[in-house]
Coordinates of all heavy atoms in Angstrom, one line a residue:
V1 N -88.8 12.1 34.0 CA -90.1 12.7 33.7 C -91.1 12.2 34.6 O -91.9 13.0 35.2 CB -90.5 12.4 32.2 CG1 -92.0 12.8 32.0 CG2 -89.6 13.2 31.2
S2 N -91.1 10.9 34.9 CA -92.1 10.3 35.8 C -91.9 10.8 37.2 O -92.9 11.0 38.0 CB -92.0 8.8 35.8 OG -90.8 8.3 36.4
V3 N -90.7 11.1 37.6 CA -90.4 11.6 38.9 C -91.0 13.0 39.0 O -91.6 13.4 40.0 CB -88.9 11.6 39.2 CG1 -88.6 12.5 40.4 CG2 -88.4 10.2 39.4
G4 N -90.7 13.8 37.9 CA -91.3 15.2 37.9 C -92.8 15.2 38.0 O -93.4 16.2 38.5
M5 N -93.5 14.2 37.4 CA -94.9 14.1 37.5 C -95.4 14.0 38.9 O -96.6 14.4 39.2 CB -95.4 13.0 36.6 CG -95.3 13.1 35.1 SD -95.8 11.6 34.2 CE -97.5 11.5 34.7
L6 N -94.6 13.5 39.8 CA -95.0 13.3 41.2 C -94.9 14.6 42.0 O -95.4 14.7 43.1 CB -94.2 12.2 41.8 CG -94.3 10.8 41.2 CD1 -93.3 9.9 41.8 CD2 -95.7 10.3 41.3
F7 N -94.2 15.6 41.4 CA -93.9 16.8 42.2 C -95.0 17.8 42.1 O -95.5 18.2 41.0 CB -92.6 17.5 41.6 CG -92.2 18.8 42.3 CD1 -92.0 18.8 43.7 CD2 -92.2 20.0 41.6 CE1 -91.6 20.0 44.3 CE2 -91.9 21.1 42.2 CZ -91.6 21.2 43.6
D8 N -95.5 18.3 43.3 CA -96.5 19.3 43.4 C -95.9 20.6 43.6 O -95.3 20.9 44.7 CB -97.5 18.9 44.5 CG -98.6 19.9 44.6 OD1 -98.7 20.8 43.8 OD2 -99.5 19.7 45.5
P9 N -95.9 21.5 42.6 CA -95.2 22.8 42.7 C -95.8 23.7 43.9 O -95.1 24.6 44.4 CB -95.5 23.5 41.4 CG -95.8 22.4 40.4 CD -96.5 21.4 41.3
A10 N -97.0 23.3 44.3 CA -97.6 24.1 45.4 C -96.8 24.0 46.7 O -96.9 24.9 47.6 CB -99.0 23.6 45.7
V11 N -95.9 23.0 46.8 CA -95.0 22.9 48.0 C -94.2 24.1 48.2 O -93.8 24.4 49.4 CB -94.2 21.6 47.9 CG1 -93.0 21.8 46.9 CG2 -93.6 21.2 49.3
V12 N -93.8 24.8 47.2 CA -93.0 26.0 47.3 C -93.7 27.1 48.0 O -93.1 27.8 48.8 CB -92.6 26.5 45.9 CG1 -91.8 27.8 45.9 CG2 -91.8 25.5 45.1
V13 N -95.0 27.2 47.9 CA -95.9 28.2 48.5 C -96.4 27.7 49.9 O -96.4 28.4 50.9 CB -97.1 28.6 47.7 CG1 -97.9 29.6 48.4 CG2 -96.6 29.2 46.3
E14 N -96.8 26.4 49.9 CA -97.4 25.8 51.1 C -96.4 25.4 52.2 O -96.7 25.5 53.4 CB -98.2 24.6 50.7 CG -99.4 25.0 49.8 CD -100.2 23.7 49.3 OE1 -99.7 22.6 49.6 OE2 -101.2 23.9 48.6
Q15 N -95.2 25.0 51.8 CA -94.2 24.6 52.8 C -92.8 25.2 52.5 O -91.8 24.6 52.3 CB -94.0 23.1 52.7 CG -95.3 22.3 53.1 CD -95.0 20.8 53.2 OE1 -94.3 20.4 54.1 NE2 -95.5 20.0 52.2
P16 N -92.8 26.6 52.4 CA -91.5 27.2 52.1 C -90.4 27.0 53.1 O -89.2 26.8 52.7 CB -91.9 28.7 52.0 CG -93.1 28.8 52.9 CD -93.8 27.6 52.7
L17 N -90.7 27.0 54.4 CA -89.6 26.8 55.4 C -89.1 25.3 55.4 O -87.9 25.2 55.4 CB -90.2 27.1 56.8 CG -90.5 28.6 57.0 CD1 -91.0 28.9 58.4 CD2 -89.2 29.5 56.7
P18 N -89.9 24.3 55.3 CA -89.4 22.9 55.2 C -88.6 22.7 53.9 O -87.5 22.1 54.0 CB -90.6 22.1 55.2 CG -91.7 22.8 55.9 CD -91.4 24.3 55.6
L19 N -89.0 23.4 52.8 CA -88.3 23.3 51.6 C -86.9 23.9 51.7 O -85.9 23.4 51.3 CB -89.0 23.9 50.4 CG -88.4 23.8 49.0 CD1 -88.1 22.4 48.6 CD2 -89.2 24.5 48.0
M20 N -86.9 25.1 52.3 CA -85.6 25.8 52.5 C -84.7 25.0 53.4 O -83.5 24.9 53.2 CB -85.8 27.2 53.1 CG -86.5 28.2 52.2 SD -87.0 29.7 53.0 CE -85.4 30.3 53.6
A21 N -85.2 24.4 54.5 CA -84.4 23.5 55.4 C -83.9 22.3 54.6 O -82.7 21.9 54.8 CB -85.3 23.1 56.5
T22 N -84.7 21.7 53.7 CA -84.2 20.6 52.9 C -83.1 21.0 52.0 O -82.1 20.3 51.9 CB -85.4 20.0 52.1 OG1 -86.5 19.6 52.9 CG2 -85.0 18.8 51.3
V23 N -83.2 22.1 51.4 CA -82.2 22.6 50.5 C -80.9 22.9 51.3 O -79.8 22.6 50.8 CB -82.7 23.9 49.7 CG1 -81.5 24.5 48.9 CG2 -83.8 23.5 48.8
A24 N -81.1 23.5 52.5 CA -79.9 23.8 53.3 C -79.2 22.5 53.7 O -77.9 22.5 53.7 CB -80.4 24.5 54.6
I25 N -79.9 21.4 54.0 CA -79.2 20.2 54.3 C -78.4 19.7 53.1 O -77.2 19.2 53.3 CB -80.3 19.1 54.7 CG1 -80.9 19.5 56.1 CG2 -79.6 17.7 54.8 CD1 -82.1 18.6 56.5
I26 N -79.0 19.8 51.9 CA -78.3 19.3 50.7 C -77.1 20.1 50.4 O -76.0 19.6 50.1 CB -79.3 19.2 49.5 CG1 -80.5 18.3 49.8 CG2 -78.6 18.8 48.3 CD1 -81.6 18.4 48.8
L27 N -77.3 21.5 50.3 CA -76.2 22.4 49.9 C -75.2 22.6 50.9 O -74.0 22.7 50.6 CB -76.8 23.7 49.4 CG -77.7 23.7 48.2 CD1 -78.2 25.1 47.9 CD2 -77.0 23.1 47.0
F28 N -75.6 22.7 52.2 CA -74.6 23.1 53.2 C -74.4 22.1 54.3 O -73.2 21.8 54.6 CB -75.1 24.4 53.9 CG -75.4 25.5 52.9 CD1 -76.7 26.0 52.7 CD2 -74.4 26.1 52.1 CE1 -76.9 27.0 51.8 CE2 -74.6 27.1 51.2 CZ -75.9 27.5 51.0
G29 N -75.4 21.4 54.7 CA -75.2 20.4 55.8 C -74.3 19.3 55.4 O -73.3 19.1 56.0
K30 N -74.7 18.5 54.3 CA -73.9 17.3 54.0 C -72.5 17.7 53.4 O -71.5 17.0 53.5 CB -74.6 16.4 53.1 CG -74.9 16.8 51.7 CD -75.5 15.6 50.9 CE -75.6 15.9 49.4 NZ -75.7 14.7 48.7
S31 N -72.5 18.9 52.6 CA -71.2 19.3 52.0 C -70.3 19.8 53.1 O -69.0 19.5 53.0 CB -71.5 20.4 51.0 OG -72.1 21.5 51.5
F32 N -70.8 20.4 54.1 CA -69.9 20.9 55.2 C -69.3 19.7 56.0 O -68.2 19.6 56.4 CB -70.7 21.8 56.2 CG -69.8 22.3 57.3 CD1 -68.7 23.2 57.0 CD2 -70.1 22.0 58.6 CE1 -67.9 23.7 58.1 CE2 -69.3 22.5 59.7 CZ -68.2 23.3 59.4
A33 N -70.2 18.6 56.2 CA -69.7 17.4 56.8 C -68.6 16.8 55.9 O -67.6 16.3 56.5 CB -70.9 16.4 56.9
A34 N -68.8 16.7 54.6 CA -67.8 16.2 53.7 C -66.5 17.0 53.8 O -65.4 16.5 53.8 CB -68.3 16.2 52.3
Y35 N -66.6 18.3 53.9 CA -65.4 19.2 54.0 C -64.6 18.9 55.2 O -63.4 18.7 55.2 CB -65.9 20.7 54.0 CG -64.8 21.7 54.2 CD1 -64.0 22.2 53.1 CD2 -64.5 22.2 55.5 CE1 -63.0 23.1 53.3 CE2 -63.4 23.1 55.7 CZ -62.7 23.5 54.6 OH -61.7 24.4 54.8
L36 N -65.3 18.8 56.4 CA -64.6 18.5 57.7 C -64.0 17.1 57.6 O -62.8 16.9 58.1 CB -65.6 18.5 58.8 CG -66.2 19.9 59.1 CD1 -67.2 19.8 60.3 CD2 -65.1 20.9 59.5
I37 N -64.6 16.1 57.0 CA -64.1 14.8 56.9 C -62.8 14.8 56.1 O -61.8 14.2 56.5 CB -65.1 13.8 56.3 CG1 -66.3 13.6 57.3 CG2 -64.5 12.4 56.0 CD1 -67.5 13.0 56.6
V38 N -62.8 15.4 54.9 CA -61.6 15.5 54.1 C -60.5 16.2 54.8 O -59.3 15.7 54.7 CB -62.0 16.1 52.7 CG1 -60.7 16.3 51.9 CG2 -63.0 15.3 51.9
K39 N -60.8 17.3 55.5 CA -59.7 18.0 56.2 C -59.2 17.1 57.3 O -58.0 17.2 57.6 CB -60.3 19.3 56.8 CG -60.6 20.4 55.7 CD -59.3 21.0 55.2 CE -58.7 21.9 56.2 NZ -57.4 22.5 55.6
A40 N -60.1 16.4 58.0 CA -59.6 15.5 59.1 C -58.7 14.4 58.6 O -57.8 14.0 59.4 CB -60.9 14.8 59.8
F41 N -58.7 14.0 57.3 CA -57.8 13.1 56.8 C -56.5 13.7 56.3 O -55.7 13.0 55.7 CB -58.5 12.3 55.7 CG -59.3 11.1 56.1 CD1 -60.6 11.3 56.5 CD2 -58.8 9.9 56.2 CE1 -61.4 10.2 56.9 CE2 -59.5 8.8 56.6 CZ -60.9 9.0 57.0
G42 N -56.3 15.0 56.6 CA -55.1 15.7 56.3 C -54.9 16.2 54.9 O -53.8 16.6 54.4

């Protein structure tokens, strides 16, 4: 709850592109890296 209190919802409107890039890193960037690493280990 205290973490949520720090969040300013205006960031969705004011910084849509940085937010989309952040979400892309979480959902696709690091997960794709994990996928390649697991495949590399056979």
Side-chain angles (χ1 to χ4, degrees):
V1 170
S2 71
V3 169
M5 288 175 64
L6 300 172
F7 177 62
D8 184 359
V11 71
V12 178
V13 178
E14 295 172 359
Q15 300 187 69
L17 293 179
L19 180 60
M20 288 171 63
T22 301
V23 172
I25 291 172
I26 299 167
L27 293 183
F28 306 112
K30 71 170 189 164
S31 59
F32 183 62
Y35 176 85
L36 293 178
I37 294 164
V38 176
K39 289 289 287 181
F41 276 85

